[in-house]
Amino acid sequence: MTSPKVVVVMPGLNVARTLERTVRAIPAGAADTIVLVDDGSTDDTVAVARKLGIACVSHAKNLGYGAAQKTGYREALALGADVAVMVHPDFQYKPELVPAIAAMVTHGGYDVVLASRVLVGGALAGGMPRWKYVANRVLTAVENAAMGAHLSEFHTGYRAYSRRALQALPLAGNRNDYVFDSEILAQAIELGLPIGEISCPAHYFDEMQTITFGPGIKYGLGVLGVAARVTAHHLGKKDRLLDPNAPKLDAWTHGSWSVPPRAGA
């Protein structure tokens, strides 16, 4: 029997200083291919990817975090992934958890898996700023209420999706910024896809990338907008975001390959 194919997708912008540390921390054999989506970096991100020998597909300019995810998932589908695990290349999350997260999809029956920083209450201990923690809790509560869910966290960037999920969810029309993460969960919940959670320690340090207060306000308003759209949809005002027949991702290469894909990277 052929083993499920795992592709790690890394959406990144100017992550030259943390990329190698992140890649080295992924357990050997955990991924068949690692794909870095370089979202218009101006530092040595692509050069580091070349040195590491991992696949790197580049956007000619910065298109946004959501756009980078779309490209990464398109590439994962094109590479025949059974599961795509998104790992931030800024080393914020624990890359060592890739095998466990992937296994929850390949063997645990989940189509979506979230690595939660708050599942066992360690977010503040791990350095999450208090304002961000409070916003996380409030926004998650609002989203759970609007979507009829019971997730511990909607805002983690460490996730896995089954091939079935990536082919079924209407992701093509989703936003290209950070609100993409809330939109995809709203769509998964609407379609009734099984969602699992695993605890992941929070890890905040100087070199990691994170939303600052100003952009965080904009992000929060965007998330509330998603919750409002879901509520309106359930009240009868049908929304394209939750239309299962809306455009989906196709398995074609969106950017340009800087380093070709290599199995076992």
Side-chain angles (χ1 to χ4, degrees):
M1 180 180 294
T2 303
S3 298
K5 186 168 187 177
V6 178
V7 174
V8 167
V9 173
M10 292 185 169
L13 172 66
N14 296 329
V15 291
R17 292 189 295 175
T18 55
L19 177 58
E20 182 170 2
R21 182 167 31 163
T22 305
V23 171
R24 300 293 187 202
I26 298 174
D32 294 276
T33 307
I34 298 173
V35 178
L36 172 73
V37 181
D38 162 43
D39 191 27
S41 295
T42 56
D43 66 356
D44 293 329
T45 293
V46 173
V48 174
R50 288 182 181 277
K51 184 182 77 169
L52 294 172
I54 64 172
C56 176
V57 58
S58 295
H59 291 166
K61 61 180 181 179
N62 178 239
L63 299 179
Y65 173 67
Q69 283 194 65
K70 292 177 190 177
T71 294
Y73 299 144
R74 282 188 174 108
E75 302 300 346
L77 289 173
L79 291 167
D82 294 296
V83 53
V85 183
M86 178 172 67
V87 178
H88 285 193
D90 65 353
F91 205 66
Q92 176 184 170
Y93 300 95
K94 294 281 287 184
E96 293 87 350
L97 290 175
V98 166
I101 293 171
M104 289 180 69
V105 175
T106 58
H107 301 295
Y110 294 104
D111 281 305
V112 181
V113 176
L114 308 175
S116 172
R117 296 165 293 182
V118 300
L119 199 57
V120 292
L124 291 174
M128 181 182 285
R130 186 166 294 276
W131 72 265
K132 183 168 290 188
Y133 176 80
V134 171
N136 184 304
R137 299 293 74 225
V138 170
L139 291 173
T140 291
V142 171
E143 289 171 288
N144 274 325
M147 300 173 198
H150 300 88
L151 299 177
S152 68
E153 180 184 9
F154 271 75
H155 309 287
T156 174
Y158 198 1
R159 305 168 171 219
Y161 300 101
S162 69
R163 184 176 188 86
R164 181 175 81 136
L166 294 179
Q167 291 178 324
L169 295 170
L171 304 180
N174 285 7
R175 289 174 57 156
N176 288 336
D177 58 13
Y178 283 94
V179 180
F180 177 93
D181 276 352
S182 285
E183 291 182 328
I184 193 172
L185 288 182
Q187 293 167 332
I189 292 166
E190 184 70 16
L191 285 182
L193 298 181
I195 301 176
E197 293 186 280
I198 185 173
S199 178
C200 176
H203 183 208
Y204 283 76
F205 60 100
D206 289 343
E207 291 179 336
M208 64 165 281
Q209 296 176 341
T210 185
I211 298 178
T212 54
F213 186 77
I217 295 296
K218 181 180 179 181
Y219 168 73
L221 292 174
V223 169
L224 293 175
V226 173
R229 292 174 68 183
V230 171
T231 299
H233 179 84
H234 291 160
L235 291 175
K237 186 178 179 181
K238 297 305 178 183
D239 195 298
R240 185 172 178 273
L241 173 69
L242 301 179
D243 180 0
N245 298 313
K248 301 172 178 62
L249 297 181
D250 45 16
W252 55 272
T253 300
H254 179 266
S256 59
W257 284 106
S258 297
V259 183
R262 176 172 60 86

